[in-house]
Amino acid sequence: MAQPKGTVVLAYSGGLDTSCILVWLKEQGYDVVAYLANIGQKEDFEAARKKALALGAKKVYIEDISREFVEEFIWPAVQANALYEDRYLLGTALARPCIARKLVEIAQREGAQYVAHGATGKGNDQVRFELTCYALCPNIKVVAPWRLPKFYQRFPGRCELMDYAKEHGIPVPVTPQTPWSMDENLMHISYEAGILENPKPQGQGRLVCLQPNWKFHGGPCVAGRPCRPPLQARVPVKVTNAGDGATRCSALELFVYLNDIAGKHGVGRIDIVENRFVGMKSRGIYETPAGTILYHAHLDIEAFTMDREVRKIKQGLALKFSELVYNGFWHSPECEFLRQCIGRSQEAVVGTVRLSVFKGQVYILGRESPRSLYNEELVSMNVQGDYEPADATGFININSLRLKEYHRLQSKVTVKQDE
């Protein structure tokens, strides 16, 4: 029997890895407190509680943090139009600091010196979990079994882990016939590992394609609800189904509703190869229904209301923000600074976007805003408006000066080379 090592709070999912890790940690002499975060995944949480206790956890915390996840993590990403490597909407990357924040809180409540997780030694999640833990509780100690030689030498792969589960009577949802990893939260479902490590075959997903029609409302308030301060206000506040008039206003209800509808209609599924922070490429299949709808809706109303030069700067900030979130630096000073800057840029991003989806695509049908910078009279081809066309001659001449000088020099260089 191993020597007692104290209490460890394990970020527990109930899947193959963390179920086996729970039992393994007990073998090493730890008292295990299991913490299961409810961030919108479809799961029998009571069954998960009973399973953790049956495996030897001395206590189980099941924390519903879905509202905080939407309001404090997803909404800033929507404001940023955050997109990692042009395609990934950061569903897992946004969830990890939210989960880890509560992990640290429970460890402090329990007086535990240790926290543990089931992230692999090759992935991004180990970085995301641990950077959050160290930022919020610098003295915490992290147990990462997949980085301990005595663990990964004993369990070189999932087959050995499944054998261990069988030996110890650990029920797990993964079988040799379906050996991939699935992670679900409100923002997305991701599939990776196992047979999906071969990038050639087509992955399997859950989405189908139909056609809805909605209005997305972004801004400071809706009827009957008080406005919040400007930096907190420019987030989605209402979605209305133009077909049946159904409306959702609270952050969580709105997001769940869009997930349900958009998921049925084939929105937000991608199959990509991305660059992990640790330096390798990986293949992942992601399904982000509501996030995809909101990305396109926000992008549209932002272009409608934001000054051109401000938007250029904000696009650069969003690129850096996406990298920081992906790499696990949510609680870094630079990421906090970027969130403030991006929030400040959103003060004029208020309005309504009408959209529809068809066969997995999002189509913007129209938009309106009291803060619109679009001047129909100014841009019209039928009305001169407050614009003098002759002024464009000088504008073109000034802008062509640089091009003329460049090509004049190039012509001289070419003549000399030909001599």
Side-chain angles (χ1 to χ4, degrees):
M1 189 72 177
Q3 290 294 318
K5 291 187 173 67
T7 299
V8 60
V9 181
L10 170 65
Y12 177 75
S13 69
L16 173 64
D17 291 36
T18 57
S19 294
C20 291
I21 286 171
L22 194 161
V23 175
W24 184 85
L25 286 170
K26 284 185 60 62
E27 286 182 350
Q28 308 311 303
Y30 292 99
D31 290 327
V32 182
V33 173
Y35 153 55
L36 176 58
N38 175 359
I39 47 174
Q41 69 270 39
K42 295 176 177 63
E43 187 165 340
D44 186 336
F45 291 101
E46 193 51 41
R49 180 195 302 277
K50 291 177 181 177
K51 178 180 177 180
L53 291 171
L55 295 177
K58 74 171 187 178
K59 189 182 290 187
V60 178
Y61 285 88
I62 297 178
E63 300 285 324
D64 187 344
I65 55 174
S66 27
R67 182 184 59 79
E68 300 99 289
F69 181 40
V70 174
E71 294 182 349
E72 299 176 36
F73 294 87
I74 295 177
W75 280 175
V78 170
Q79 287 186 323
N81 293 118
L83 205 60
Y84 179 71
E85 294 189 337
D86 304 315
R87 293 186 288 179
Y88 175 40
L89 286 164
L90 299 167
T92 299
L94 290 166
R96 294 318 187 218
C98 184
I99 295 169
R101 184 175 68 178
K102 184 63 71 172
L103 179 69
V104 169
E105 180 185 313
I106 292 170
Q108 292 172 329
R109 195 184 311 169
E110 288 291 321
Q113 287 183 285
Y114 304 92
V115 293
H117 59 75
T120 74
K122 290 185 176 181
N124 298 306
D125 282 343
Q126 58 179 339
V127 183
R128 296 164 180 160
F129 274 123
E130 294 181 36
L131 289 183
T132 296
C133 290
Y134 291 135
L136 300 181
C137 186
N139 296 324
I140 201 73
K141 296 177 181 177
V142 177
V143 181
W146 281 114
R147 295 207 306 270
L148 299 175
K150 64 180 178 180
F151 186 87
Y152 65 70
Q153 288 172 4
R154 183 177 177 182
F155 306 110
R158 293 192 163 230
C159 289
E160 291 80 8
L161 213 57
M162 285 187 276
D163 290 341
Y164 179 81
K166 186 176 180 180
E167 291 168 12
H168 291 79
I170 303 171
V172 292
V174 177
T175 69
Q177 287 72 43
T178 57
W180 55 69
S181 173
M182 186 184 86
D183 179 67
E184 180 182 10
N185 60 50
L186 273 170
M187 184 66 164
H188 82 172
I189 292 182
S190 67
Y191 307 89
E192 61 181 6
I195 62 172
L196 299 180
E197 289 171 356
N198 180 349
K200 292 182 181 179
Q202 181 179 355
Q204 298 300 311
R206 64 175 182 175
L207 299 179
V208 295
C209 302
L210 300 169
Q211 184 178 19
N213 193 332
W214 305 289
K215 286 183 179 178
F216 159 86
H217 307 259
C221 61
V222 293
R225 291 181 59 197
C227 292
R228 290 172 287 177
L231 290 184
Q232 300 175 21
R234 273 49 179 178
V235 297
V237 294
K238 183 169 69 171
V239 61
T240 302
N241 187 318
D244 60 15
T247 297
R248 302 290 187 277
C249 295
S250 78
L252 185 56
E253 287 182 337
L254 181 158
F255 204 82
V256 169
Y257 180 70
L258 281 182
N259 255 340
D260 182 50
I261 298 295
K264 292 176 181 177
H265 299 288
V267 173
R269 184 176 185 275
I270 59 173
D271 183 332
I272 66 171
V273 172
E274 70 201 59
N275 289 295
R276 286 180 179 168
F277 187 30
V278 295
M280 64 188 77
K281 293 184 184 291
S282 65
R283 186 231 189 151
I285 297 173
Y286 301 111
E287 297 177 5
T288 318
T292 301
I293 290 287
L294 293 175
Y295 173 84
H296 288 286
H298 179 266
L299 192 65
D300 188 80
I301 201 68
E302 187 176 81
F304 196 48
T305 58
M306 186 177 284
D307 174 78
R308 181 186 71 179
E309 298 305 314
V310 172
R311 188 163 184 268
K312 285 180 183 178
I313 295 171
K314 189 259 181 179
Q315 285 177 300
L317 297 179
L319 180 63
K320 184 62 177 177
F321 172 79
S322 301
E323 291 177 354
L324 289 172
V325 173
Y326 185 87
N327 293 340
F329 288 92
W330 181 273
H331 290 288
S332 66
E334 63 270 30
C335 195
E336 291 176 2
F337 172 74
L338 282 178
R339 290 199 297 275
Q340 288 292 318
C341 291
I342 290 168
R344 175 68 174 79
S345 77
Q346 299 297 293
E347 289 189 1
V349 183
V350 182
T352 299
V353 180
R354 189 182 183 106
L355 56 89
S356 104
V357 298
F358 181 66
K359 293 186 176 180
Q361 299 299 310
V362 179
Y363 297 94
I364 303 297
L365 305 179
R367 78 287 298 156
E368 57 184 323
S369 169
R371 302 292 297 274
S372 166
L373 291 175
Y374 179 86
N375 184 330
E376 187 174 355
E377 184 178 276
L378 181 62
V379 79
S380 174
M381 297 296 182
N382 299 316
V383 180
Q384 184 169 321
D386 189 19
Y387 180 77
E388 182 56 59
D391 291 345
T393 302
F395 177 79
I396 294 168
N397 287 338
I398 291 296
N399 277 280
S400 70
L401 181 61
R402 176 177 60 89
L403 305 180
K404 290 175 181 178
E405 286 301 295
Y406 173 79
H407 287 284
R408 179 181 63 80
L409 177 61
Q410 292 301 108
S411 297
K412 287 184 177 180
V413 172
T414 301
V415 169
K416 286 184 178 181
Q417 288 176 343
D418 291 342
E419 288 177 355

